Amino acid sequence: MTVLSHILVVDDDSRLRELLRLYLQDHGFNVSTAADAKHARNLMQGLKFDLVILDVMMPGENGFEFTASI
């Protein structure tokens, strides 16, 4: 049985978030998405991720601040 990596894509741009999700899923990854750091943090409380792809220029808590907090 193959275990797929689970990737979290965090970006406030919905089009880019969706393109990344589709591309990564087409290449065999499990993908969850979040529109901002707060949503990402909520997902991380209940799910385990192998990789986070994170936009650094998000409104509110930016990617650098989010990275430092996790």
Side-chain angles (χ1 to χ4, degrees):
M1 180 172 136
T2 302
V3 177
L4 300 178
S5 296
H6 192 180
I7 299 174
L8 175 60
V9 175
V10 186
D11 197 311
D12 60 313
D13 182 329
S14 61
R15 290 182 314 160
L16 182 56
R17 203 171 53 240
E18 181 65 7
L19 285 171
L20 283 168
R21 183 188 67 75
L22 291 171
Y23 178 84
L24 292 167
Q25 284 180 338
D26 285 349
H27 286 82
F29 296 97
N30 288 325
V31 181
S32 295
T33 63
D36 56 30
K38 181 179 179 181
H39 185 200
R41 191 173 279 107
N42 288 338
L43 289 173
M44 293 176 85
Q45 289 178 354
L47 298 170
K48 180 182 176 201
F49 295 98
D50 299 296
L51 177 73
V52 177
I53 299 175
L54 180 63
D55 179 14
V56 297
M57 296 181 62
M58 295 183 294
E61 184 179 6
N62 69 43
F64 293 116
E65 294 165 339
F66 180 69
T67 300
S69 75
I70 62 170

